[in-house]
């Protein structure tokens, strides 16, 4: 097949932007790793940077299928931009449609749908402006930007324990990220992330990954914060932060798996997705968010949940990337 990869490449952060502005974008090693994996099974694999010229490039190139890993530039629907172009051009692409990508990026919208489908998720409210009265709530709470990923805006101090801390953190999120703050009930139970691959009846759940908070230095809060993901865990000094397969009994694994699948279908996800979950004090898995454009680092030495879960399920990186293409082709019937 003639394939193209659509991506956004990490850049140095310009003056005036938050230091984590490009955290979600991929580096060249990742894009090259995906290209190599696809090139091992396909005759042609073009690289297309998903910038403002992407539409014209893809219109000229007319690939038979696009492997979509483009996170997009600006706004709460940025992950939908490239898939929307593909739909206008009639080019098949891997992964979810614009609606699902936009819904999952706006965590509150995703949570409304999860709640409608009776899928447990933490209680929440959204604050648009710091001049609003903050609702009364039981502490601790966690404050996050409404539409970010890759732990952007989630810091060790994002857990707040008083109205004053809440106000301060909400104000930081609104000012720094230029978007509303999502405030959630803080769940202190075990955390898992679950990789799913496929569609419909053929949806496959890979072995769950547990986030192992005992790997963090003493005094650091047990959340997968920006510090945990990008500062404490470095390729030269990796943290032993993921346990996969998670050590869970069959009953808990069943509940985690079932919740992840229900969330996948509720949001209309296609082909692949990683769902983050945390247990409440009664041991019930709650969905924190869905990642329908999951990060994939090719180097097994680097911590990357989806490839790790795939390896535990017997799939190396090359097989994983090509399986995403295969499930998309089956969905399109091409
Ligand atoms: N309601 C919550 N209760 C407990 N921990 C949470 C909650 N929401 C987020 N976290 C912690 O913060 C991390 C990042 O939050 P998440 O919503 O997954 O953001 P991102 O899109 O940046 O991955 C989670 O992996 C978890 O450790
Ligand atoms: Mg997450």
């Amino acid at each position: 097949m003639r394939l193209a990869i659509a991506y956004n490449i990490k850049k140095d952060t310009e003056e005036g932007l938050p230091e984590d502005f490009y955290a979600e974008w991929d580096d060249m090693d990742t894009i090259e790793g995906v290209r190599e994996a696809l090139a091992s099974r396909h005759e042609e694999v073009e690289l297309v940077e998903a910038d403002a010229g992407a539409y014209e490039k893809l219109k000229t190139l007319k690939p038979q299928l696009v492997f979509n890993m483009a996170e997009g530039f600006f706004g709460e629907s940025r992950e939908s931009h490239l898939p929307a172009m593909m739909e206008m051009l009639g080019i098949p692409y891997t992964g979810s449609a614009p609606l699902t990508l936009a819904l999952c990026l706006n965590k509150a919208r995703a949570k409304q749908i999860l709640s409608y489908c009776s899928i447990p998720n933490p209680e929440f409210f959204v604050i648009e402006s710091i001049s609003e009265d903050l609702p009364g709530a039981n502490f601790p709470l966690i404050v996050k930007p409404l539409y970010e990923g890759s732990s952007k805006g989630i810091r060790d101090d994002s857990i707040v324990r008083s109205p004053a801390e809440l106000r301060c953190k909400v104000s930081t999120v609104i000012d720094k990220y230029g978007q509303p703050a999502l405030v959630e009930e803080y769940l202190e139970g075990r955390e898992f992330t679950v990789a799913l691959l496929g569609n419909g009846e053929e949806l496959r759940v890979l072995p769950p990954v547990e986030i192992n908070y005992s790997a963090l230095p003493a005094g650091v809060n047990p959340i997968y914060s920006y510090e945990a993901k990008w500062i404490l865990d470095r390729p030269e000094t990796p943290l032993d932060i993921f346990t996969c397969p998670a050590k869970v009994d069959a009953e808990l694994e069943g509940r985690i798996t079932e919740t992840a699948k229900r969330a996948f279908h509720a949001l209309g996800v296609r082909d692949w997705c990683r769902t983050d979950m945390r247990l409440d004090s009664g041991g019930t898995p709650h969905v924190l968010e869905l990642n329908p454009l999951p990060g994939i680092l090719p180097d097994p030495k680097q911590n990357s949940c989806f490839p790790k879960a795939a390896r535990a399920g017997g799939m190396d990186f090359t097989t994983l990337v090509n399986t995403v293409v295969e499930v998309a082709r089956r969905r399109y019937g091409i």
Side-chain angles (χ1 to χ4, degrees):
M1 249 194 159
R2 284 186 308 102
L3 302 180
I5 302 173
Y7 62 91
N8 289 109
I9 190 154
K10 246 187 194 73
K11 301 193 180 350
D12 291 335
T13 310
E14 298 91 347
E15 282 273 320
L17 292 175
E19 65 289 352
D20 54 8
F21 190 78
Y22 294 114
E24 290 185 290
W25 292 12
D26 288 300
D27 57 28
M28 204 55 216
D29 287 348
T30 302
I31 297 156
E32 197 42 48
V34 173
R35 197 196 61 75
E36 266 175 37
L38 294 174
S40 71
R41 309 232 180 127
H42 295 275
E43 74 204 41
E44 214 178 295
V45 186
E46 295 283 345
L47 296 186
V48 176
E49 188 164 4
D51 55 17
Y55 184 86
E56 289 303 329
K57 282 182 265 180
L58 287 157
K59 192 173 168 189
T60 309
L61 209 56
K62 268 233 160 274
Q64 289 169 289
L65 182 113
V66 167
F67 186 92
N68 179 29
M69 50 194 296
E71 300 281 344
F73 276 88
F74 298 112
E76 63 181 323
S77 301
R78 59 186 181 271
E79 290 183 358
S80 310
H81 294 170
L82 197 281
M85 291 181 204
M86 296 302 89
E87 298 208 342
M88 285 184 78
L89 291 168
I91 299 174
Y93 57 94
T94 60
S96 293
L99 177 64
T100 294
L101 291 166
L103 280 172
C104 291
L105 194 55
N106 184 318
K107 291 176 182 162
R109 288 281 176 248
K111 287 162 68 64
Q112 286 168 342
I113 293 174
L114 293 171
S115 298
Y116 180 80
C117 297
S118 307
I119 299 169
N121 66 95
E123 294 283 325
F124 76 104
F125 53 88
V126 173
I127 305 293
E128 308 264 346
S129 142
I130 197 61
S131 58
E132 283 173 42
D133 284 338
L134 301 181
N138 290 331
F139 291 95
L141 298 168
I142 182 163
V143 183
K144 345 188 214 185
L146 183 58
Y147 44 83
E148 294 299 346
S150 302
S151 299
K152 279 173 73 173
I154 301 178
R155 296 284 172 155
D156 194 54
D157 65 359
S158 294
I159 303 174
V160 295
R161 296 190 162 81
S162 68
E165 281 182 15
L166 172 62
R167 182 164 286 280
C168 174
K169 195 68 204 175
V170 163
S171 158
T172 308
V173 165
I174 293 175
D175 287 350
K176 190 166 171 186
Y177 296 94
Q179 61 188 275
L182 171 64
V183 183
E184 276 184 359
E185 165 196 12
Y186 174 65
L187 302 178
E188 332 188 270
R190 295 170 71 182
E191 181 170 339
F192 303 95
T193 188
V194 181
L196 301 109
L197 198 50
N199 290 297
E201 294 297 306
E202 293 175 358
L203 180 60
R204 175 168 175 201
V205 183
L206 299 175
V209 177
E210 178 160 11
I211 319 298
N212 168 26
Y213 287 118
S214 62
L216 294 177
V220 174
N221 277 319
I223 52 173
Y224 201 40
S225 60
Y226 186 80
E227 290 90 338
K229 189 175 173 82
W230 299 106
I231 299 173
L232 298 168
D233 189 10
R234 312 223 42 111
E236 52 288 4
T237 51
L239 279 185
D240 187 17
I241 192 141
F242 299 143
T243 307
C244 184
K247 295 191 178 70
V248 283
D249 60 31
E251 197 262 340
L252 179 57
E253 180 158 1
R255 285 194 293 150
I256 290 171
T257 301
E258 195 50 34
T259 306
K261 277 176 148 175
R262 287 180 63 210
F264 184 103
H265 293 306
L267 271 303
V269 176
R270 301 192 315 208
D271 302 343
W272 63 329
C273 171
R274 218 195 66 236
T275 301
D276 295 343
M277 283 187 220
R278 202 148 184 172
L279 304 187
D280 66 13
S281 53
T284 299
H286 284 239
V287 174
L288 300 180
E289 61 146 357
L290 289 91
N291 299 286
L293 273 183
I296 42 167
L297 303 180
D299 181 355
K301 289 197 283 302
Q302 283 190 272
N303 273 327
S304 184
C305 294
F306 210 117
K308 188 157 189 135
R311 282 194 300 275
M315 255 186 260
D316 63 9
F317 189 81
T318 301
T319 311
L320 165 62
V321 169
N322 283 290
T323 305
V324 173
V325 169
E326 288 314 309
V327 297
R329 285 179 70 174
R330 215 169 303 141
R331 172 168 57 76
Y332 282 108
I334 54 174

